[in-house]
Each structure stands twice: as C-alpha cells, then as structure tokens.
Amino acid sequence: MSIYTEEIRLYAFGPFRLDAAEKLLLKNDEPVPLTPKAFETLLILVQKNGSLVQKDELVAQLWPDSFVEENSLAQNIYLLRKALGEGPGEHAYIETVPRRGYRFIAKVTRLREDDEAPAIESKAPVGAGFEEEAGREVASEIDPGPTARAVINRSRMLAPSLLALVALAALAAASYLLLQKVAGPPLETKPKAIAVLPFKSLGGGGNDELLGLGITDAMITKFSNLQQISVRPTSSIFKYTAAAYDPSTAGRELGVDAVLEGTVQRVNDRVRVTVQLINVRDGEPLWADRFDEKFTSVFAVQDSISEQVAQALELKLNSDERRQLVKRYTENAEAYQAYVRGVFFWNKRTDGGLSRSIEYFKQAIEKDPEYALAYAGLADSYALVGYLEYGLLPPREAYEHARAAAMKALELDESIAEAHSALAIVKAYRDGDWPGAELANKRAIALKANHPTVHHRYSIYLRDQGRLDEALEEIELAHKLDPLSPVIGSNLAYVLYLRRDYDRAAESCRKVLETEPEYFQSLIALGMIYEQKKMYGEAIELLGRVREQTRGRGGVYYYALEALAHAQAAAGNRDEAQKLLTEMTRVSEQKKDNVEFNKAMILAGLGEVNKAFELLERDAGNWISPPPTLALDPRFDNLRVDSRYQKLMHRRFGSGVSGQGPGASEDKRLPL
C-alpha cells in the first residue's frame, strides 16, 4: 500500500509545509532539499505524529522489496534533522527512542485540499520538465528533488535563451545533493578516543567472520598511528565479536567518543562492506557509506574507510600521518587472510592460541616474504611464549625466534611499533640488556604514543627495574587508553600492591572482576592484597576457590598454590602451608621447573629464614637480574631486613648484571 493514500495531503508544523502529493517540503514557502527516501521517512513520521514508529516498521514501509540495513534509516533521520534545522542533541521535531524507533513530537496541523496550499507555481510530478524544457535525457531513477523542481518551475518566466542554462544548473545542484556521501553532524567537541567494533558477517561463514575481523584490525592499525586520537586495541574489542551489542552502549563501556561499526559480505569474487561512524553521546551517525568491490580490492576499501573517517572526525593530519593512513603491508590477499587468522588466535593469549598464531603468521610470510606486519606478529607470539613460559618451546629458544622475527620486521619497516615492543621483551628477559630494552620500549611509544599495549609493557619493564613511580605513571596511562583491559587492570593492581597501596590495588581488581568475574590474575592479586591487610580468612577462602577453579591449568594453578600457601603461612596454619608446599613441588616437577625461589617465599612466610636463604643462595645462579618479587614484594619483607639479603645481592650483582638467561625461578609472569 502506498504511504500517500491518506486523505490529508498537506501538513503544517512550525515554519514548514509538507505536501504529500507533490513530495515537497517548504520552509517559509521556500523548497527544502530532501532525497526521496528522506521525504518518505518524514511523511510517515508526520502522519503518525506523537506516536512511536518502530525502526522495523519504517524499514518495511520505505524498502518493502529490498534488504536494507538499519544504518540507511539512520542516514535518513540525520538528513531530516539537518533539513529541519535540529542541531546536535536538539529534538524539536524528531525524538529518538533508543533501540526502538522515532517519534515526531512537533505540533502538526492537517490541511485539506480546499485549505490554503503552499505557494508553488507548478504541479509537475517529481522528475518532470527536464526532458521537455532542457532537451536533455535524464535517467528515470534520478529524482532531481524539490530544489531543482522549484528552479525549473520559476524558469518558465525566464527568457528562452537562459532556459537551458538554468535547467542544467538545477540538474547539477540536484545531482550533487543526491549523490554526495552521507556525512553526519560534527561533534560538539572533537573525539579523543574511538573504538572500531568487530565488522559483522552477513554470510555466516567462518571466512567472512575472519574477513570482518581483518578489516577491524586493519582500521585499528591505521588509526593507532595517529597522534590526535586514541583507538582501543584489537584485544579490547575482541569480546564483541560473538555478542549482539548496541554500538552506543559498547562505546560507553569502552569509554570512547565515537565507534566505527560495519558489516561485510563476500559473494564469489566480490565483497560488500557497509560502515558507519556513530556519535556515542546521542547514537546518531556522523558518517556512513557502502563499498561494493572485487575481493582483491579490499585493501582499497580499507584505505577509503580510514580516509573518510579521518575527515568525518575533522582530524588535521600531517603528511606522515596521511601516508600511514593508507599504508598497505601486503597486496597479497592470501597472505592477508593468513595474517588475520594469526591475529585472531594471538588475541586468545593462551598456549593453544599462541601456537596457532605462530602457524598462521608463518603461512602469511610464506605467501608474502616481505610482509613486515606478519613478522612483527610472529615476533610477539614467540616473545609471549618465552615470557609466559607456556611450554611450547624452552624460553631461550622462543626468545631467539622472537628476536629473529622482530629484526626481520624492522629490516623491512623500521616504523612497526609492535616489533620494537617484542624486541624489548627479548632484550630484557633473555639478554639482560636493560638499557637496550628501555630504548626499544621508548621507540615503540614514540611510534604509537596512543597505543595502550606499548605503555603497558614499558610499565612492566619499569616495575621489574624497581622504578615503581614511573611504572605507575605508565600503567595508569595504559589504563586510561584501555580502561576495560583485564590484563592492564590486573597489572595496575600489582604495581599498586608493590607500592603498598592496598586499597587502590583492591579497587582495581574489583573493577576488572566486574566485567571479567573469572579473571584469575585479578583474583589471585586480590587474595594477596587481603593477606597484606591481614584479612586472612578472606584471602584463604578466595585463593582456595581459585585453586580449585584452576586445577590442571599449569602456570595459573601453580601461582594460585603459591599465593594460598603463603596466606596459610601468614595466618599461622603451618600444616596447611606445608601441604601446599609439597603440592607445589610435585606440580613443578611435572613441569620440569626449578622452584627454589618460590619455596623460599613460603619458608619466609613460615618464619624459617635460614632455610629460605639457603634456597636463595642455591637459586641465585639462575637470576638474570635481581628478581622483582624478592626486591619489592611485601611477602619478602622479613628477609630484606636481614644482613644476608644485602650480601646476597652484592655478591650476585655488585659487579654488574650477568647471567645465561632467565631461569624458571624468576618473578612470576603476569600476562603482557
């Protein structure tokens, strides 16, 4: 049924007159330019004045025989707001009902045929007049719109010699209005942070899902090179991959000003990408577009999206940033798909995930041996395997693989921050080259100053050097850039714990656990904090629960045992602490780990200081540097006041740092 069948054809509201038959909107008797669909949208809302019109209902009436996504409707609403003179946040005419629909709220007067009609000289239908008056053939699907129609009607009073010129000018103006990309209203203040949400697949296939994640990661990589905004990293938006979400709600959760979201659909050798940039404050689109290209042109699509988003955000880019925005690391579609799979598994941060990420990054390199970003991904995967001691490879071997991949990445492209960050891990925890590691960390920050991961990793370096004030500054900056990251929140808690700021440390743990209730690093840290606050019952109950939940999970289980054993010792439960110490030994033998250092911590908690120093003396040959736990952790306080502690440190490190690489007894690893 046509939306124009209602008996009333004229409507008045404010300074506006709407003519349903002529498809014309006038303001003070002057035509207001609108696209046909925007006009139809306005008519539906006006006819149902005061009533909520559901989004689904609008889409069904406007596009009855087509599959159209919701952002097309949002574009029409934006155009109407602009035409009606509504500014950002103003709802004088159209009210948005979040997640439901829209309501026309201005007072509407309905006029019948015999009422005073809008002043218009011609009743020519939409599109009429161009062929006969200008002698030009116009494609039937192009509606010149009310501005062009008014110019043509008035042109009948002009001299014939000027008629063709006027009509051509009208056509040009109308075509511009209809064919230009939809760009939304500027933000009241320029955004300081954005998030690129996972592009959803319309095809439902695994390859499409990975293609969507690939476009998402590419956008994040491009925007992270810009200094004027911060962009949430791939790891932070990863949780939205499989979930249904409202973009504005997700943006508020992520603490950003704007979100970029889209869909991707691949059919044979073509790919269609629909994308929109949304203002988190009011949920309105700032910009939207659709791209329909050959799959091999997906890189060009990514370039175009990034450039247009930068324009919509009104960013003033220097020449280097403009180059970075359209930079391509590969032109090989198969290499790109393998790299995307590598990123997908790297984000899991598990031993199995890192194993698969290494496999796919290698495949990407095989397809394109000059793919610098794939080498950087490979380097970081190996560095994490070495640092976290997952057991996929001996740490020393993993570090050497990481070094080789990082150096190759930097040989191909020195500007890849991720490669510098991976190299910093190798220099610090394999080589003991702390000055070199600091330079690598600072270089990564210089290249991506607004990327949370580089600040997070530099904070860990500073923490392990005992520079806790600087470490806190860096981890707080990382947390500001990525407030929902559980690993950053957990490491913030750990730095605060080492500084004896137990209340703030506990609060940081609780914030992580609000969104990730089973995040064991925060659970274990919270148990350690309870112990230091002498809340022994709470510490033992929490850590005991974590022990049961992590049983069989390797390193996490071991650290839960360690924390629980020390809490039992501090509480005076010697028998329970001894049982847990025996279990720690059994688990470490299965892992082939040396745990003398960890045993010394439990013995210190039991007050057996002499035995603790015997183990530390025996273990010291494995240390590449003074272990941060021994130097800073309050659980070693009773050893640090003993003269033997200073003698041990002087004898081991007094003549400079040396060693053959990190032993298994080093400081416990919180994830990077």
Side-chain angles (χ1 to χ4, degrees):
M1 178 180 296
S2 170
I3 63 174
Y4 304 115
T5 56
E6 184 175 309
E7 180 183 357
I8 302 297
R9 77 176 188 98
L10 301 174
Y11 303 85
F13 49 90
F16 296 95
R17 294 287 185 89
L18 184 151
D19 188 328
E22 294 296 329
K23 304 181 186 178
L24 183 63
L25 177 67
L26 297 168
K27 180 179 182 181
N28 298 324
D29 293 336
E30 290 296 322
V32 178
L34 282 180
T35 63
K37 288 298 181 185
F39 179 86
E40 292 176 17
T41 305
L42 177 61
L43 182 57
I44 295 171
L45 293 174
V46 167
Q47 288 177 340
K48 297 192 175 184
N49 176 40
S51 300
L52 173 66
V53 184
Q54 300 283 349
K55 291 181 180 180
D56 291 345
E57 179 184 349
L58 278 167
V59 170
Q61 289 194 58
L62 293 168
W63 296 279
D65 301 315
S66 305
F67 172 77
V68 175
E69 296 162 15
E70 191 177 294
N71 66 338
S72 297
L73 175 60
Q75 292 172 25
N76 283 344
I77 296 295
Y78 163 68
L79 289 173
L80 289 176
R81 291 193 191 284
K82 189 173 182 180
L84 296 172
E86 289 189 346
E90 297 178 2
H91 293 145
Y93 295 98
I94 301 174
E95 177 188 34
T96 300
V97 181
R99 294 183 294 279
R100 296 180 63 193
Y102 303 94
R103 180 184 290 113
F104 196 84
I105 57 177
K107 181 180 179 180
V108 175
T109 301
R110 289 166 166 77
L111 306 175
R112 296 185 177 276
E113 291 284 349
D114 53 354
D115 290 327
E116 181 184 355
I120 185 166
E121 298 180 20
S122 171
K123 304 300 182 184
V126 170
F130 275 86
E131 292 86 345
E132 59 178 276
E133 299 291 347
R136 295 181 57 88
E137 184 175 343
V138 181
S140 60
E141 66 269 19
I142 297 180
D143 174 6
T147 299
R149 291 198 306 272
V151 171
I152 292 169
N153 291 332
R154 290 168 184 168
S155 72
R156 291 171 179 160
M157 297 183 293
L158 298 176
S161 60
L162 298 178
L163 191 57
L165 180 61
V166 173
L168 287 173
L171 176 60
S175 298
Y176 172 77
L177 287 169
L178 291 172
L179 299 178
Q180 65 178 336
K181 302 299 182 187
V182 176
L187 291 170
E188 292 181 353
T189 58
K190 290 186 179 181
K192 297 179 181 178
I194 67 171
V196 184
L197 299 177
F199 279 47
K200 297 293 187 182
S201 166
L202 295 181
N207 288 337
D208 281 357
E209 292 289 354
L210 290 172
L211 177 59
L213 284 177
I215 294 175
T216 304
D217 184 71
M219 293 299 100
I220 291 172
T221 299
K222 289 174 180 291
F223 294 134
S224 64
N225 290 315
L226 306 182
Q227 301 295 321
Q228 298 177 49
I229 58 170
S230 65
V231 58
R232 298 296 180 250
T234 307
S235 55
S236 291
I237 58 89
F238 198 62
K239 71 174 187 177
Y240 296 102
T241 302
Y245 58 81
D246 172 69
S248 295
T249 301
R252 285 189 286 272
E253 290 176 352
L254 292 164
V256 296
D257 306 302
V259 295
L260 186 71
E261 69 154 6
T263 61
V264 58
Q265 183 177 24
R266 185 176 179 184
V267 180
N268 299 323
D269 66 339
R270 300 193 68 81
V271 61
R272 171 176 291 179
V273 180
T274 302
V275 60
Q276 64 176 339
L277 181 69
I278 298 172
N279 184 354
V280 169
R281 179 178 55 80
D282 57 15
E284 294 297 325
L286 298 167
W287 164 83
D289 205 347
R290 187 177 72 181
F291 304 85
D292 194 343
E293 303 285 348
K294 287 186 176 181
F295 176 71
T296 52
S297 299
V298 68
F299 307 115
V301 170
Q302 293 169 359
D303 293 345
S304 183
I305 293 173
S306 61
E307 288 180 305
Q308 293 187 54
V309 169
Q311 292 175 10
L313 295 175
E314 300 181 9
L315 302 181
K316 298 187 186 312
L317 307 181
N318 59 39
S319 57
D320 182 63
E321 287 178 320
R322 283 194 292 270
R323 285 193 298 270
Q324 290 289 336
L325 205 58
V326 295
K327 183 175 183 177
R328 301 181 191 178
Y329 292 94
T330 185
E331 299 285 352
N332 186 308
E334 291 183 353
Y336 171 71
Q337 291 185 77
Y339 172 78
V340 168
R341 287 180 169 86
V343 170
F344 176 85
F345 286 107
W346 175 84
N347 267 299
K348 292 181 177 293
R349 294 298 203 281
T350 62
D351 51 355
L354 288 175
S355 176
R356 297 291 299 279
S357 73
I358 289 170
E359 173 187 343
Y360 283 117
F361 286 137
K362 285 182 175 179
Q363 285 185 20
I365 291 168
E366 289 174 2
K367 299 292 183 182
D368 182 357
E370 304 298 304
Y371 200 167
L373 205 57
Y375 282 106
L378 183 64
D380 206 79
S381 297
Y382 275 127
L384 291 177
V385 168
Y387 181 86
L388 297 172
E389 299 177 0
Y390 272 140
L392 299 176
L393 290 172
R396 184 176 301 183
E397 185 178 344
Y399 282 135
E400 290 306 324
H401 284 304
R403 187 201 312 277
M407 295 302 292
K408 180 62 177 178
L410 295 175
E411 176 188 326
L412 293 167
D413 187 343
E414 197 277 336
S415 68
I416 297 181
E418 293 83 353
H420 289 284
S421 183
L423 193 59
I425 298 172
V426 176
K427 287 181 177 292
Y429 301 104
R430 168 65 184 92
D431 303 339
D433 178 8
W434 296 98
E438 181 153 27
L439 287 175
N441 276 312
K442 287 183 174 180
R443 179 58 178 153
I445 290 173
L447 289 166
K448 286 193 174 181
N450 287 328
H451 200 283
T453 298
V454 295
H455 292 285
H456 173 211
R457 292 189 175 178
Y458 186 37
S459 171
I460 292 175
Y461 165 90
L462 293 167
R463 180 202 73 194
D464 290 357
Q465 287 289 286
R467 295 156 60 181
L468 292 184
D469 289 345
E470 295 171 86
L472 180 60
E473 182 178 344
E474 287 294 320
I475 196 65
E476 286 182 330
L477 178 54
H479 189 256
K480 180 180 179 181
L481 292 170
D482 191 2
L484 285 188
S485 168
V487 62
I488 291 176
S490 296
N491 276 294
L492 171 59
Y494 190 56
V495 171
L496 291 167
Y497 165 83
L498 294 178
R499 288 168 54 90
R500 273 60 169 181
D501 193 346
Y502 299 127
D503 289 338
R504 283 187 64 198
E507 181 62 22
S508 184
C509 288
R510 292 189 185 102
K511 286 182 178 178
V512 171
L513 296 172
E514 283 178 5
T515 56
E516 301 284 346
E518 302 300 321
Y519 200 74
F520 297 113
Q521 283 76 19
S522 279
L523 289 170
I524 292 172
L526 186 59
M528 293 160 53
I529 293 164
Y530 284 155
E531 178 194 329
Q532 295 306 315
K533 291 171 69 70
K534 302 189 185 305
M535 299 166 61
Y536 299 123
E538 291 88 342
I540 291 170
E541 190 278 329
L542 174 60
L543 294 171
R545 179 156 44 89
V546 175
R547 171 196 176 190
E548 293 306 313
Q549 291 172 340
T550 59
R551 189 180 296 275
R553 291 189 54 182
V556 176
Y557 178 60
Y558 182 82
Y559 297 136
L561 285 176
E562 175 193 274
L564 179 59
H566 197 278
Q568 291 281 19
N573 302 326
R574 298 183 63 85
D575 291 344
E576 289 299 323
Q578 289 288 357
K579 290 178 183 177
L580 291 167
L581 186 58
T582 300
E583 187 175 355
M584 285 172 58
T585 303
R586 177 182 60 79
V587 171
S588 66
E589 288 173 350
Q590 292 175 351
K591 296 172 57 186
K592 298 183 169 55
D593 282 347
N594 178 355
V595 292
E596 304 290 41
F597 181 87
N598 307 77
K599 290 179 181 178
M601 178 188 290
I602 309 306
L603 291 171
L606 290 167
E608 298 182 17
V609 175
N610 293 335
K611 290 183 178 180
F613 272 112
E614 289 177 11
L615 291 181
L616 291 176
E617 292 280 0
R618 187 187 312 163
D619 194 50
N622 294 317
W623 303 346
I624 194 172
S625 64
T629 303
L630 180 60
L632 302 169
D633 196 304
R635 291 176 294 181
F636 275 112
D637 280 354
N638 63 337
L639 298 190
R640 281 193 291 274
V641 298
D642 194 296
S643 61
R644 286 173 288 183
Y645 173 82
Q646 294 298 333
K647 291 178 182 178
L648 175 64
M649 292 296 102
H650 179 75
R651 186 165 61 253
R652 181 66 184 83
F653 303 108
S655 59
V657 175
S658 62
Q660 299 302 313
S665 61
E666 277 198 313
D667 180 34
K668 79 161 120 180
R669 307 299 192 203
L670 288 176
L672 290 172

